[in-house]
Amino acid sequence: MKSWRRRSIHWTLLVAGWTLGACAPPVGPPATPARPADAGPGEEASATAGWRHDWAEGAVFYEIFVRSFADSDGDGVGDLRGLAARLDYLNDGRPGGDDLGVDALWLMPVFASPSYHGYDTVDYERIEPAYGSDEDFATLLEEAHRRGLRVIVDLVLNHTSSEHRWFVGARASRADPRRSWYVWRGGDPGWTQPWGGTNRVWHAAGEESYYGVFWGGMPDLNWRNPAVREEMARVAELWLARGVDGFRLDATRHLVENGPGQLQVDQPETLAALRDLAARIRARFPEALLVGENWTGPERVALYYGDDARLPGGDGLPASFDFALASALVAAARDGDASGVRAALAATAALYPRAALNAPFLTNHDMIRVTTELGDDLEAQGRAAALLLTLPGAPFLYYGEEIGMANGPGRRDEEKRAPMPWTGDGPGHGFTAAAEPWHPFTGDPAGRNVAAQFAAPGSLLAHYRRWIALRAGSPALRRGDLFLLPEAPAGTVAFLRRTEGERMLAVHHLGLSAASLPLPFPCAALSAAEVDGAVELGGAEGEGCTLALPARSSWVGRVATPRP
């Protein structure tokens, strides 16, 4: 995978030649779904071989909470058959269609669990019965792959449910063979959760306590135990062999704890365990994607990529979510000041391995939805989406963001994960035939739903479709390097994306008043590919062009290569 590191550029030199030196390698053909690497008789593929992630670089992912996406059987709960029936909305597999155009799906937990959210697994080998059967999941994978959609699923490595048979046996007897699969000690030393507050992380069980950083119903696995590491690697390989294309790895910062406070996160043993897991998966399934949930700043996220000298992009996790950039994107769209976005891009470029795959996003299932964060300002949401979809890496969208789906009235997780409104017809709004869905709809489902926006050219959904299509049709936007233009106005993010044969200039003005941006290119070298707002180009012949940017506008276009 190619670099998107920010480099020092003397932009004045570009006025005359507007060239950026040696081009990045050409874009390769799409890869096939994740599968074991070929190996000769009796030999394993080398763990030092690189990942084959051409399919993931630049891909647009769509995060789905299956319970809330589409209900096929009328019980008020979304399921796998319902999701399969809605795949054409996401990507119908045909070029030039009116689908959303995403490339891959991330399914929140689909393994058996006693909770609505699924993050407390009771069986890593079985699909949650409320969502359907193992056969339903196999059919979903087949239908997704037939359309060219990849599918990654949540894998909860850090903990199990307290109802998992492993923990039930371990809690009942010190002699249980899986007692050491969990973390025990005598008494409660008084540690609290590392992100703050007063919640204790040690939970009484007879004369001893067990460690569970999130709560007592989710006991942490003991990642110091080789048997645990072996079992979780086996589970990962099992689902990859069944056809999934990778995993979003939950709570990866918390695998090993060495004491109270910040000694519960980012420990060397955690990094070593993830390196080992990545090497094992890479050896057999080099096209499988692993995306870490490392909710912290770029300095610490960089640790999870591993050593770039050992493997291009690092020998740890090949991708991590960019939480710092997400906060900066939403703040910029809300406040009209893009300096935080520029700083976040510069920080990740300076700290991450050169070939690292970033995973930018706006919000996810643990966060207040972007619509609510932006005060239901659709124009601000449009600017945030356009910026996200022109950035390097693999951007992730949260289901419903493309229609401006709002958060519920509270801050509980359920309010962030409400059902998807497909139509304006109540009470099920196309999500379910039941009189009541598992959770009430949020916002204005009768007025803001997929059907209402699908054929409306000025809708937020149409806006997302246009920008995703622009990205899909541009090698530079999907996989190119990023060069930030310096000294842009406070409300503006401007950058050049470049691959061999194509240079794309993206200018996003999130400011609440008009601005102008001088460019190191003559206007004749620029051809617009997508414009939101009455952006105007001006400048004398042979001189640099100036973009006149109305409030909240975007201009993306190709930069011609000058003749020698």
Side-chain angles (χ1 to χ4, degrees):
M1 292 177 288
K2 293 162 283 303
S3 166
W4 61 283
R5 176 178 295 276
R6 179 187 180 189
R7 300 171 187 170
S8 175
I9 300 293
H10 293 289
W11 288 97
T12 53
L13 297 178
L14 303 181
V15 176
W18 64 93
T19 177
L20 294 177
C23 290
V27 176
T32 53
R35 61 182 185 275
D38 296 331
E43 63 178 312
E44 292 289 332
S46 171
T48 60
W51 296 101
R52 296 206 296 263
H53 283 157
D54 282 354
W55 70 269
E57 187 171 358
V60 178
F61 283 73
Y62 190 87
E63 178 189 359
I64 294 176
F65 185 36
V66 174
R67 179 174 293 268
S68 285
F69 201 65
D71 169 24
S72 70
D73 56 11
D75 64 355
V77 174
D79 49 51
L80 296 169
R81 290 187 179 185
L83 169 56
R86 294 290 188 178
L87 287 177
D88 279 352
Y89 164 74
L90 301 169
N91 192 319
D92 62 13
R94 298 187 297 270
D98 53 7
D99 53 9
L100 185 58
V102 299
D103 303 290
L105 310 180
W106 157 26
L107 306 186
M108 289 170 62
V110 293
F111 304 150
S113 167
S115 300
Y116 89 93
H117 51 74
Y119 282 101
D120 48 349
T121 307
V122 293
D123 190 340
Y124 285 98
E125 298 187 30
R126 183 167 59 96
I127 291 295
E128 164 56 41
Y131 292 168
S133 65
D134 291 353
E135 291 74 20
D136 291 333
F137 185 74
T139 299
L140 172 68
L141 288 179
E142 181 181 359
E143 288 298 311
H145 289 157
R146 184 170 65 81
R147 292 165 171 80
L149 279 167
R150 303 299 184 108
V151 180
I152 69 171
V153 299
D154 244 305
L155 181 58
V156 184
L157 298 173
N158 179 70
H159 52 266
T160 69
S161 169
S162 59
E163 299 179 29
H164 197 295
R165 66 185 184 279
W166 301 343
F167 186 75
V168 171
R171 182 170 185 164
S173 171
R174 293 183 181 180
D176 187 271
R178 293 193 177 92
R179 176 82 172 186
S180 63
W181 283 32
Y182 296 89
V183 183
W184 303 88
R185 68 177 300 158
D188 180 356
W191 303 1
T192 57
Q193 292 171 325
W195 50 85
T198 60
N199 291 336
R200 300 291 187 97
V201 297
W202 290 93
H203 310 279
E207 297 180 357
E208 290 189 297
S209 296
Y210 64 89
Y211 182 81
V213 69
F214 291 101
W215 72 295
M218 294 178 174
D220 275 41
L221 287 164
N222 177 15
W223 274 79
R224 298 179 192 275
N225 188 332
V228 169
R229 298 197 296 273
E230 171 62 29
E231 176 64 11
M232 299 314 289
R234 185 193 68 81
V235 166
E237 291 180 332
L238 170 71
W239 286 101
L240 290 168
R242 290 179 179 179
V244 304
D245 297 291
F247 304 101
R248 179 264 190 184
L249 302 179
D250 181 66
T252 36
R253 299 182 68 202
H254 301 281
L255 299 188
V256 178
E257 55 287 328
N258 284 317
Q262 292 303 297
L263 292 175
Q264 297 172 86
V265 293
D266 307 327
Q267 296 302 291
E269 297 91 337
T270 292
L271 300 174
L274 290 170
R275 282 197 303 270
D276 290 346
L277 178 65
R280 175 159 170 174
I281 291 176
R282 191 170 63 243
R284 292 195 60 218
F285 299 91
E287 293 171 12
L289 182 66
L290 305 178
V291 189
E293 185 207 16
N294 300 305
W295 198 330
T296 184
E299 297 85 357
R300 292 195 173 190
V301 172
L303 301 173
Y304 287 85
Y305 284 103
D307 188 346
D308 196 32
R310 295 182 181 178
L311 191 74
D315 61 347
L317 297 181
S320 279
F321 289 107
D322 197 332
F323 285 89
L325 179 58
S327 297
L329 290 169
V330 174
R334 181 185 60 238
D335 304 331
D337 184 350
S339 57
V341 175
R342 296 197 300 270
L345 291 172
T348 53
L351 294 165
Y352 290 5
R354 290 182 59 86
L357 179 63
N358 200 23
F361 65 102
L362 298 177
T363 57
N364 68 16
H365 62 279
D366 287 323
M367 306 161 82
I368 299 296
R369 281 185 171 270
V370 65
T371 295
T372 302
E373 287 282 11
L374 297 180
D376 205 21
D377 184 337
L378 293 179
E379 192 175 18
Q381 291 176 64
R383 293 285 61 73
L387 177 51
L388 173 70
L389 291 166
T390 52
L391 289 175
F396 279 69
L397 313 179
Y398 187 34
Y399 80 95
E401 276 182 350
E402 75 276 16
I403 59 170
M405 188 172 159
N407 214 76
R411 302 187 67 87
R412 295 186 308 126
D413 285 343
E414 292 93 324
E415 304 294 347
K416 307 164 186 172
R417 308 171 188 178
M420 178 84 162
W422 292 94
T423 71
D425 303 326
H429 294 292
F431 164 72
T432 182
E436 294 184 5
W438 79 271
H439 188 277
F441 290 91
T442 56
D444 175 24
R448 190 172 297 173
N449 55 72
V450 173
Q453 297 189 34
F454 195 79
S459 68
L460 185 62
L461 175 57
H463 175 89
Y464 266 89
R465 284 204 303 255
R466 288 201 329 269
W467 285 94
I468 292 172
L470 176 67
R471 183 183 186 88
S474 168
L477 290 181
R478 283 183 68 93
R479 306 183 184 194
D481 294 332
L482 181 144
F483 300 91
L484 279 169
L485 272 68
E487 300 177 2
T492 305
V493 182
F495 47 83
L496 194 71
R497 302 289 311 280
R498 182 208 66 177
T499 56
E500 183 178 1
E502 184 180 60
R503 293 167 173 81
M504 294 290 282
L505 176 67
V507 180
H508 301 282
H509 181 55
L510 298 97
L512 306 181
S513 58
S516 63
L517 177 68
L519 299 174
F521 316 106
C523 291
L526 304 175
S527 57
E530 187 65 60
V531 183
D532 277 341
V535 179
E536 296 183 357
L537 285 70
E541 184 176 354
E543 297 181 358
C545 194
T546 296
L547 286 180
L549 302 164
R552 289 178 169 173
S553 58
S554 290
W555 188 97
V556 176
R558 290 175 176 82
V559 182
T561 302
R563 294 178 180 177

